[in-house]
Amino acid sequence: MGSEVSKQIQKRKAVSVEKQMLFDLNENCGETFPGCDYRPTDRKNWMASLGPKDLHINNIVWPGTHNSATDRIGIPCISRPFAQCQTLSVYQQLVLGTRVLDIRVNENNHVCHGILLTYNIDVVINDVKKFLFETTSEVIILEIRTEYGHRDPPEFEDYLEEKLGMYLIHQDDYVFGKTIAQLLPKRIICVWKPRNSAQPKPGSPFWSAEYLKDNWIDTDLPSTKFDSNLKYLSDQAPVSSRNFFYRVENTVTAQPDNPVVCVRPVTGRIHGYARLFINRCFAEGCANRLQVFSTDFIGGDFVDACVGLTHARVHGEC
């Protein structure tokens, strides 16, 4: 018993030390970077505002959400705090400016996070279609994967093609060098990551797992995650010379052996440091590698930071 108490005290102390490290880094380095003062006047149509003819797919900093469809997961006040990573619906996230969605499904076509379930995938698809109907030039990366511990939904590619076919951008390496204007009216890059079925092939309406990569660091220590994100990003090629999307997730993950296991207070340890991360990317010489930047509980300032850096790239400021 005594050793377990001591272990928990050490864990709490490590979290406290790392939170202070990030706070001090933010105080010393600040949150400035090229485009940091830019605020889109219309987040819902920010790609259209920047100019579809000027926005190359590989040059966009894509604001994304982690576990995007968890706003209604589980039972409120009971299981929901342990799995909810967003409070906004998928449609609300898209209106706010989110352009990368992370959707997990099970064999029954329900969205899930681990063992907890929420609504049918139809809810997500309808939200996406509603947003696309209301806009003209916004492109979305829609990642759908079979959740760990589950089987692929049956005939899922047929389902997606039936629902989204008119919007789907087919798998093709040349897409990365194209502008949004060159892709329109197609507007969805759908990355489908099955667990049991074959990966989508070149020319398919769907993109295979190798086109959206990341290095998932499973930790609840914010400075450890922040530094690891920088390290792994630095290992990537510049966006101009790679034909895949690389994602950095500005999140930390609750650990089962830690006394705090609810998502919001844990991920809150790093949540406010997105602008600091971009600042450090420039300081470390890896800002030209940043492409997909995702978060829990997305807000307008996170979107503005991504759009601001995209604006700076479009105008040759970095």
Side-chain angles (χ1 to χ4, degrees):
M1 180 68 176
S3 62
E4 184 61 31
V5 171
S6 177
K7 181 180 177 182
Q8 293 302 325
I9 291 173
Q10 292 303 314
K11 286 181 177 293
R12 296 293 291 270
K13 187 179 294 184
V15 168
S16 180
V17 167
E18 294 216 4
K19 287 170 65 176
Q20 188 64 46
M21 289 170 65
L22 274 188
F23 178 84
D24 291 343
L25 185 64
N26 195 60
E27 288 291 297
N28 293 330
C29 300
E31 301 178 338
T32 60
F33 54 85
C36 64
D37 294 327
Y38 180 81
R39 305 280 174 172
T41 56
D42 180 8
R43 294 190 183 111
K44 184 177 181 179
N45 292 284
W46 68 260
M47 289 180 166
S49 298
L50 292 184
K53 292 181 179 179
D54 298 319
L55 275 180
H56 286 82
I57 293 299
N58 62 3
N59 213 27
I60 297 168
V61 182
W62 301 74
T65 49
H66 168 240
N67 265 304
S68 306
T70 54
D71 54 304
R72 288 189 272 152
I73 199 162
I75 303 171
C77 302
I78 299 176
S79 57
R80 184 168 296 173
F82 304 105
Q84 185 185 54
C85 299
Q86 309 295 331
T87 55
L88 301 177
S89 69
V90 165
Y91 172 75
Q92 290 170 328
Q93 291 171 44
L94 292 169
V95 170
L96 185 66
T98 301
R99 294 295 177 267
V100 181
L101 299 171
D102 160 22
I103 310 296
R104 326 284 180 89
V105 294
N106 70 5
E107 55 273 16
N108 297 316
N109 280 8
H110 276 81
V111 177
C112 56
H113 184 186
I115 62 172
L116 295 180
L117 306 179
T118 182
Y119 37 70
N120 192 281
I121 188 64
D122 282 341
V123 175
V124 173
I125 300 302
N126 289 338
D127 274 5
V128 168
K129 291 174 72 173
K130 178 182 179 182
F131 173 75
L132 294 178
F133 179 78
E134 295 174 354
T135 57
T136 59
S137 304
E138 307 304 300
V139 173
I140 299 167
I141 300 173
L142 174 61
E143 178 197 28
I144 307 180
R145 72 178 87 170
T146 303
E147 179 68 306
Y148 179 78
H150 293 278
R151 299 187 307 277
D152 299 335
E155 301 177 348
F156 196 61
E157 288 190 14
D158 292 340
Y159 163 83
L160 289 175
E161 192 162 10
E162 177 187 346
K163 296 289 185 179
L164 299 173
M166 64 182 292
Y167 296 111
L168 294 174
I169 299 167
H170 287 220
Q171 183 185 146
D172 184 343
D173 286 0
Y174 288 107
V175 165
F176 291 92
K178 291 185 176 181
T179 64
I180 285 178
Q182 291 172 312
L183 297 177
L184 295 175
K186 305 295 186 180
R187 297 168 60 195
I188 300 175
I189 296 173
C190 185
V191 181
W192 164 228
K193 298 181 176 180
R195 288 199 172 271
N196 314 117
S197 310
Q199 289 285 324
K201 296 179 180 179
S204 163
F206 308 102
W207 296 66
S208 60
E210 65 183 17
Y211 284 103
L212 179 54
K213 301 179 182 181
D214 54 38
N215 290 98
W216 176 249
I217 304 103
D218 187 15
T219 181
D220 62 356
L221 298 174
S223 185
T224 295
K225 181 64 176 286
F226 189 96
D227 292 343
S228 296
N229 279 343
L230 274 175
K231 175 190 177 298
Y232 284 118
L233 182 63
S234 297
D235 292 340
Q236 307 305 313
V239 295
S240 60
S241 60
R242 67 174 189 245
N243 290 332
F244 62 88
F245 297 102
Y246 182 78
R247 173 170 49 202
V248 174
E249 295 197 308
N250 190 57
T251 63
V252 287
T253 311
Q255 301 299 305
D257 60 349
N258 196 293
V260 182
V261 292
C262 295
V263 175
R264 187 179 284 276
V266 173
T267 201
R269 298 166 187 168
I270 198 172
H271 187 266
Y273 296 110
R275 287 179 176 269
L276 173 65
F277 184 80
I278 298 175
N279 171 282
R280 292 294 84 203
C281 286
F282 279 95
E284 299 293 330
C286 60
N288 63 345
R289 292 154 169 77
L290 186 60
Q291 192 172 43
V292 176
F293 198 22
S294 293
T295 189
D296 291 323
F297 304 108
I298 196 165
D301 188 67
F302 184 90
V303 171
D304 291 353
C306 296
V307 177
L309 181 51
T310 302
H311 179 270
R313 286 180 175 178
V314 168
H315 291 274
E317 298 171 12
C318 60

